[in-house]
């Protein structure tokens, strides 16, 4: 701390704090630039149902036979210009969703989720890419959110309403750690977009309540941003500098 006296006035200058602010913090996540990833295309994957009502009817039919539906979706994070971006599918230039889908009855949760991710984003058999753009297995991390569908309706909640004893669907969002390089192939009828957190935040009108809440889910983590050469170019506030 420095005190400067000028024309009878005393001014105190306090240097910026160098203390960290990361106690009891989740492990820091390293984010790679979106340009590190190779994007290809594969055969289209049409929606199973022609309408919302048909989708809800199928949900009801499956519930009566197998019970509550289990759905897993992935939050894949990269960065652009030192800001986190979420890789998100866009369908028909209007509807946004995370990669993933519902599990089959009796299917293991994590292994089944990896199968759904491969169906959406893994290269098609026979597609060839450079050796360093490998396609190793998905690294599934924390479950960062759960959403519940209490009835055969479009409404979902981040909790089970008190009067509901048998929810019809539980959707989990998992953080998926992206490696330094990865090949991602997108069905021809979809687009894969990198959506910044500032665009998602408080924007339920465009993205819906589930997707617009992702910035809150990720606020528990600190991020470390690296460039194409694996050089750290930025960190979250509170992390020690090197």
């Amino acid at each position: 701390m420095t005190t400067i006296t000028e024309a009878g006035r005393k001014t105190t200058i306090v240097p910026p704090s160098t203390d960290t602010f990361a106690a009891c913090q989740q492990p820091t996540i390293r984010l790679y630039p979106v340009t590190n990833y190779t994007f290809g295309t594969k055969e289209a994957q049409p929606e199973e149902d022609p309408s919302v009502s048909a989708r809800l009817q199928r949900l009801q039919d499956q519930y009566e036979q197998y019970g509550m539906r289990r759905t897993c979706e992935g939050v894949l994070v990269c960065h652009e210009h030192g800001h986190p971006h979420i890789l998100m599918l866009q369908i028909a230039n209007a509807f946004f969703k995370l990669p993933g889908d519902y599990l089959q009855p009796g299917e293991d949760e994590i292994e089944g989720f990896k199968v759904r991710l491969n169906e959406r984003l893994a290269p098609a058999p026979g597609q060839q890419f450079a050796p360093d753009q490998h396609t190793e297995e998905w690294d599934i991390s924390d479950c960062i959110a759960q959403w519940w569908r209490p009835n055969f309706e479009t409404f979902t909640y981040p909790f089970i309403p008190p009067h509901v004893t048998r929810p019809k669907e539980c959707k989990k969002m998992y953080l998926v750690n992206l490696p330094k390089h990865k090949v991602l192939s997108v069905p021809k009828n979809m687009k894969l977009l990198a959506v910044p957190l500032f665009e998602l935040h408080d924007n339920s009108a465009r993205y819906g309540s589930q997707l617009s809440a992702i910035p809150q889910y990720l606020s528990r983590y600190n991020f470390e941003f690296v460039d194409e050469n694996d050089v750290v170019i930025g960190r979250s506030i509170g992390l020690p500098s090197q």
Side-chain angles (χ1 to χ4, degrees):
M1 182 172 64
T2 303
T3 301
I4 300 175
T5 302
E6 180 181 356
R9 293 184 304 171
K10 183 178 290 187
T11 302
T12 300
I13 301 176
V14 180
S17 173
T18 58
D19 295 335
T20 61
F21 191 45
C24 299
Q25 190 77 30
Q26 290 288 319
T28 299
I29 299 175
R30 171 164 284 199
L31 300 184
Y32 298 95
V34 65
T35 52
N36 269 27
Y37 303 105
T38 300
F39 300 97
T41 59
K42 57 186 178 182
E43 290 299 316
Q45 296 179 359
E47 291 291 300
E48 293 185 70
D49 306 295
S51 65
V52 174
S53 60
R55 183 166 70 247
L56 294 175
Q57 182 59 55
R58 183 163 57 87
L59 172 64
Q60 182 171 352
D61 294 342
Q62 292 179 342
Y63 177 83
E64 292 173 354
Q65 186 171 3
Y66 302 110
M68 185 187 74
R69 173 182 285 180
R70 303 171 301 148
T71 298
C72 295
E73 294 183 340
V75 178
L76 284 61
V77 194
C78 56
H79 83 85
E80 189 169 8
H81 305 302
H83 183 76
H85 285 56
I86 308 301
L87 296 183
M88 196 173 297
L89 294 167
Q90 185 184 35
I91 302 173
N93 295 320
F95 178 65
F96 297 89
K97 64 185 301 183
L98 297 173
D101 212 333
Y102 63 89
L103 305 179
Q104 297 298 326
E107 192 172 29
D108 178 81
E109 184 172 329
I110 299 301
E111 293 306 313
F113 179 33
K114 291 178 180 178
V115 171
R116 303 291 93 75
L117 287 175
N118 282 330
E119 290 173 352
R120 288 297 193 204
L121 295 179
Q127 285 186 319
Q128 299 295 324
F129 297 95
D132 64 332
Q133 295 170 336
H134 40 75
T135 56
E136 73 271 13
E137 189 175 84
W138 298 99
D139 181 7
I140 310 300
S141 184
D142 300 333
C143 175
I144 60 175
Q146 292 186 106
W147 285 79
W148 303 87
R149 189 186 306 275
N151 299 301
F152 302 114
E153 300 173 345
T154 57
F155 301 108
T156 58
Y157 303 86
F159 53 85
I160 301 177
H163 62 283
V164 175
T165 58
R166 296 179 180 179
K168 307 307 183 283
E169 181 180 12
C170 177
K171 178 187 290 186
K172 290 187 177 183
M173 290 184 182
Y174 278 96
L175 181 65
V176 179
N177 295 321
L178 286 174
K180 184 177 180 180
H181 296 285
K182 194 170 181 65
V183 175
L184 302 170
S185 287
V186 186
K188 292 181 179 179
N189 60 318
M190 304 179 189
K191 296 179 181 178
L192 189 63
L193 305 178
V195 183
L197 291 192
F198 64 76
E199 166 71 14
L200 287 172
H201 176 60
D202 200 26
N203 197 358
S204 59
R206 179 169 175 78
Y207 295 99
S209 56
Q210 296 181 19
L211 300 182
S212 62
I214 289 177
Q216 282 93 327
Y217 304 150
L218 295 181
S219 66
R220 62 192 290 207
Y221 300 98
N222 282 322
F223 297 107
E224 184 175 65
F225 308 103
V226 301
D227 63 13
E228 292 85 352
N229 299 314
D230 222 17
V231 176
V232 176
I233 59 173
R235 293 182 174 86
S236 298
I237 300 297
L239 290 179
S241 58
Q242 293 181 348

